[in-house]
Amino acid sequence: MSHWLPRTYLALVYLLLYVPIAVLVVFSFNDSRTGYEWGGLSLRWYEALFDNRAMVRAMWNSLWLALSAATVSTLIGALTALALHRYRFRGKQILNGMLFVVMMSPEIVLAISLLALFLLVGMQLGYVSLLLAHVTFCLPFVVITVMARLSGFDERLPEAARDLGASDFVMTRTVLIPVIMPALLAGWLLGFTLSLDDVVVSTFVSGPTYEILPLRIYSMVRVGLKPEVNALGTLLLVFSLVMLILSQWILLRSRR
Amino acid sequence: MASDSDLSCTGLVRRFSGHAAVDHVSLNVPAGTFFSILGPSGCGKTTLLRMLAGFDKPDQGDIYIRGQRMNDVPPNRRPVNMVFQHLALFPTMSVGDNIGYGLKRQKVPLAERRKRIAEVLEQVGLPGLEGRNPQQLSGGQRQRVALARCLVLKPTLLLLDEPLGALDLKLREQMKVELKHLQKAFGTTFVYITHDQSEAMVMSDQVAVMKDGRFDQVAPPEALYREPATPFVAGFVGDNNRISGDLVAVQGELAEIRLDDGSLVRGRIASDDLETGGRVDLFIRPESLVLAGDALNSGYSGMDACIRSTLFDGANSRVEAEGAGNNTLYARLPQDGSAPRFNENATVRLAWDPALARVFGARI
Ligand SMILES: Nc1ncnc2c1ncn2[C@@H]1O[C@H](COP(=O)(O)OP(=O)(O)O)[C@@H](O)[C@H]1O
Ligand SMILES: [Mg+2]
């Protein structure tokens, strides 16, 4: 029996996955102005990137937006999941299903409807409108992540805590939250990444007062691919890798 | 109510959509005793226990603990702790933190908390395991942690909901004895629910036999075994043979019964609602059945039976026989070498002292 066929196949798949990323990283250190010639190692595009004040500003804006959108949607989403999990009421199934509708509906539809809504209530497009929009599409992911964790939750644990003298509040703080913590973290990270790289919804609901990174990059590459973008992409890649490793580490520790 | 009783309930009722899961239960548990509630699964044991712990409210009736009415007291303010059916140890906390959880809620200072955790772990036979995770422990060890988590708080009353259910047979036998010792050592009043009659019999001072939300009988284990008050108790507590027939005559304490094949047997009357001509059930314990060749004690009642098989089980070895009217009967075989060997399909005479058999009106 030969193993070369499955091996070659796997190699090709991984090549397909990683070649674009590798090209991006390698060319971010390229000293040449054009994207297809190798001119030696250099950090000039990183320098150029950080000299570009509008770019740095957009980066901070994006980080801040992702941070706040992830945090707000985690808070709201956790409470929603707890309510959906804990209480029985009419229409619970419908509410459950509606989460998936938001998740599955085309982003462009969400974008148009949010824009229409904001215009209708006369809201200034900027940070607030972006935040509201991002919370909207992050929320279902958080709710579903937390609900999945809660579905394996032993209903007797809160009762045991109450039995041992804890008030409802203390029980929530000492038993419920530690148990759903990994889900909260996972939901937060998911929200953070979703928000950080969103283009479609953001294009519709952002205003000139608050420029964010994905839109900035998008407008940059429309006039031609600048090597700075490679440097930026590499930084984002490293950043998301760190986030990924961090989240896995936390999950592993909590499962120990 | 008696002032030395730790728990007393009067006329407790709990209905779920019209159906009474607990139906007019009254009970009284003296301080420091081991009280078991024994009944088949679904008879309302957990529902009753949850009302005692405060997780559920009775629709009718009152709960008193040491004379204090508890109906409107929330679970975190009752002097009661509960060992849950599946233990419900906190998975995110170490063994020490699990046990210290209640102490911390009582604002016991850290140093004393540590001391009491170490003490109670010692008492349940797990010294030095504070730092472990509950998931790293064996089933029996987790069991003890769940017990320690409650006992460390020195509750007036400890409620236990089938705590041994998840353990394997060997460990269960061992824990039975240990639980009894722990109860004695701590002097805490235990209310223990189980569907396993041997658990209830071995450990308890008093056993309440529960059926369809009601108590059939409350008595010490031996009385329950020897003097069952209802046919349900006779059939549920310990092994028993049941033979159906018609009551033909009553002579003092004894009843004469005609079996379906026409033969006559006798047993002691155990309920006072029997009428001549009525349908009755006769209960005889396997150890009360004597396998007699032919020589019979004069006062004994008996019937011919055909041996079906011999079931060897050490001290609990029995023969299975088919008696008059197609009744299957089990008789215990003494393992001291005095029992003769039987061939399958051999006919023997099964005899018993009528005073040891119980006659009840037949259940419909
Ligand atoms: N929360 C509930 N809602 C509806 N019915 C219930 C509820 N809890 C228990 N029951 C019913 O009450 C009866 C007794 O249940 P339970 O007390 O759990 O029995 P046991 O512990 O003796 O096995 C069962 O028929 C069960 O279906
Ligand atoms: Mg139960």
Side-chain angles (χ1 to χ4, degrees):
Chain A
M1 272 304 291
S2 72
H3 293 294
W4 67 266
L5 194 63
R7 280 189 189 167
T8 316
Y9 173 76
L10 269 183
L12 280 175
V13 170
Y14 274 82
L15 220 59
L16 190 73
L17 283 174
Y18 277 89
V19 161
I21 296 176
V23 167
L24 176 99
V25 173
V26 168
F27 275 85
S28 77
F29 296 105
N30 184 6
D31 200 16
S32 150
R33 198 148 242 307
T34 48
Y36 42 84
E37 272 175 333
W38 183 250
L41 265 178
S42 140
L43 286 177
R44 60 183 282 203
W45 302 120
Y46 289 87
E47 279 165 34
L49 186 67
F50 285 103
D51 283 343
N52 185 340
R53 305 197 59 179
M55 183 69 104
V56 172
R57 161 142 227 100
M59 202 145 67
W60 284 122
N61 280 349
S62 257
L63 277 180
W64 175 242
L65 176 66
L67 215 76
S68 44
T71 306
V72 171
S73 49
T74 302
L75 286 177
I76 301 177
L79 291 176
T80 311
L82 282 173
L84 282 174
H85 174 75
R86 188 151 166 190
Y87 301 108
R88 289 174 188 203
F89 49 86
R90 264 162 41 127
K92 181 170 162 171
Q93 284 306 317
I94 297 174
L95 281 185
N96 255 331
M98 279 164 70
L99 286 173
F100 283 95
V101 172
V102 174
M103 264 169 74
M104 305 305 287
S105 67
E107 223 181 325
I108 192 88
V109 176
L110 188 68
I112 296 169
S113 45
L114 279 169
L115 179 62
L117 179 70
F118 292 150
L119 292 180
L120 194 70
V121 298
M123 181 183 278
Q124 271 274 302
L125 294 184
Y127 171 70
V128 177
S129 62
L130 276 168
L131 177 65
L132 287 175
H134 283 209
V135 167
T136 307
F137 66 70
C138 290
L139 200 56
F141 290 93
V142 176
V143 176
I144 282 159
T145 315
V146 176
M147 287 227 293
R149 178 82 184 177
L150 281 173
S151 73
F153 181 70
D154 180 356
E155 293 303 328
R156 299 291 168 235
L157 290 180
E159 288 188 348
R162 300 272 287 143
D163 187 64
L164 294 166
S167 63
D168 245 335
F169 174 75
V170 172
M171 180 280 290
T172 307
R173 181 169 60 77
T174 54
V175 174
L176 201 53
I177 292 182
V179 168
I180 61 171
M181 202 45 160
L184 292 183
L185 250 130
W188 190 91
L189 283 169
L190 203 58
F192 187 87
T193 7
L194 283 173
S195 164
L196 195 61
D197 76 350
D198 177 74
V199 174
V200 179
V201 172
S202 302
T203 312
F204 280 70
V205 299
S206 72
T209 53
Y210 203 83
E211 197 184 21
I212 56 173
L213 201 56
L215 298 188
R216 170 98 208 157
I217 297 172
Y218 192 64
S219 61
M220 269 169 70
V221 295
R222 262 199 308 206
V223 292
L225 197 65
K226 285 194 188 149
E228 278 168 80
V229 174
N230 290 338
L232 182 62
T234 306
L235 286 180
L236 283 175
L237 187 71
V238 170
F239 183 73
S240 44
L241 268 178
V242 168
M243 295 281 279
L244 184 74
I245 291 166
L246 201 69
S247 66
Q248 290 304 308
W249 182 70
I250 292 167
L251 279 176
L252 273 180
R253 248 177 46 124
S254 74
R255 227 180 277 136
R256 168 184 62 101
Chain B
M1 87 219 43
S3 59
D4 66 343
S5 90
D6 266 354
L7 168 69
S8 103
C9 301
T10 49
L12 284 184
V13 177
R14 178 72 175 100
R15 292 192 189 86
F16 293 116
S17 49
H19 164 81
V22 171
D23 192 6
H24 291 93
V25 165
S26 298
L27 58 89
N28 200 39
V29 182
T33 59
F34 198 122
F35 186 91
S36 290
I37 298 168
L38 168 65
S41 135
C43 73
K45 303 182 296 292
T46 299
T47 306
L48 175 57
L49 213 64
R50 290 173 59 79
M51 290 193 284
L52 300 181
F55 297 125
D56 203 356
K57 283 200 176 211
D59 294 319
Q60 277 173 46
D62 295 307
I63 300 167
Y64 294 89
I65 293 173
R66 291 240 170 109
Q68 300 273 331
R69 189 166 179 274
M70 284 290 139
N71 289 43
D72 303 313
V73 180
N76 50 334
R77 294 181 195 275
R78 293 193 187 195
V80 171
N81 289 115
M82 180 153 164
V83 177
F84 287 80
Q85 196 157 7
H86 301 289
L87 305 183
L89 296 177
F90 304 125
T92 53
M93 297 179 206
S94 68
V95 167
D97 288 346
N98 262 281
I99 297 175
Y101 191 86
L103 295 173
K104 201 165 173 182
R105 304 287 85 80
Q106 294 177 0
K107 310 242 181 324
V108 176
L110 179 67
E112 193 190 333
R113 225 155 59 210
R114 287 228 178 94
K115 194 173 124 253
R116 283 173 66 179
I117 293 169
E119 264 171 26
V120 79
L121 274 173
E122 183 92 38
Q123 279 168 301
V124 298
L126 299 174
L129 290 196
E130 284 95 334
R132 295 281 190 87
N133 253 18
Q135 291 93 318
Q136 296 173 311
L137 302 182
S138 71
Q141 289 174 320
R142 277 208 292 277
Q143 190 72 61
R144 285 163 221 245
V145 173
L147 268 172
R149 185 171 72 172
C150 292
L151 287 173
V152 75
L153 299 174
K154 306 197 165 78
T156 303
L157 200 63
L158 185 65
L159 309 173
L160 302 102
D161 187 352
E162 313 213 14
L164 307 187
L167 303 182
D168 58 48
L169 192 65
K170 195 103 183 167
L171 204 53
R172 204 151 66 212
E173 294 299 318
Q174 190 188 330
M175 281 303 290
K176 268 187 222 173
V177 181
E178 217 164 294
L179 262 179
K180 175 81 188 159
H181 290 327
L182 277 172
Q183 189 264 332
K184 281 269 176 294
F186 280 83
T188 308
T189 309
F190 276 35
V191 174
Y192 185 98
I193 67 179
T194 178
H195 66 269
D196 181 322
Q197 51 100 13
S198 105
E199 282 177 20
M201 300 296 269
V202 168
M203 295 189 278
S204 319
D205 297 310
Q206 290 271 320
V207 181
V209 180
M210 193 169 183
K211 184 196 168 209
D212 300 336
R214 289 169 172 274
F215 281 179
D216 258 32
Q217 186 175 7
V218 185
E222 191 170 348
L224 218 53
Y225 191 79
R226 304 216 182 280
E227 305 287 341
T230 67
F232 174 75
V233 176
F236 192 70
V237 176
D239 293 332
N240 229 333
N241 294 302
R242 185 165 71 104
I243 303 167
S244 301
D246 298 312
L247 184 67
V248 289
V250 175
Q251 305 152 352
E253 285 222 294
L254 298 186
E256 192 154 30
I257 299 161
R258 180 181 295 117
L259 304 185
D260 296 344
D261 70 338
S263 58
L264 291 173
V265 296
R266 280 174 299 138
R268 209 177 88 194
I269 292 170
S271 64
D272 45 17
D273 59 345
L274 300 186
E275 281 175 28
T276 316
R279 199 76 185 153
V280 292
D281 284 332
L282 175 80
F283 288 90
I284 317 167
R285 299 270 177 209
E287 68 269 23
S288 301
L289 278 177
V290 184
L291 285 149
D294 41 17
L296 263 193
N297 227 321
S298 57
Y300 274 35
S301 179
M303 67 163 81
D304 288 327
C306 180
I307 301 289
R308 285 280 167 257
S309 57
T310 306
L311 312 167
F312 181 79
D313 184 14
N316 193 27
S317 299
R318 294 166 301 166
V319 290
E320 181 188 356
E322 192 177 314
N326 289 331
N327 286 297
T328 301
L329 298 173
Y330 293 93
R332 232 193 82 193
L333 283 174
Q335 289 302 298
D336 53 6
S338 67
R341 298 200 135 272
F342 294 99
N343 297 321
E344 271 177 37
N345 298 322
T347 300
V348 293
R349 182 104 184 131
L350 288 175
W352 63 88
D353 179 353
L356 296 178
R358 295 277 169 279
V359 180
F360 291 98
R363 281 177 287 167
I364 310 109

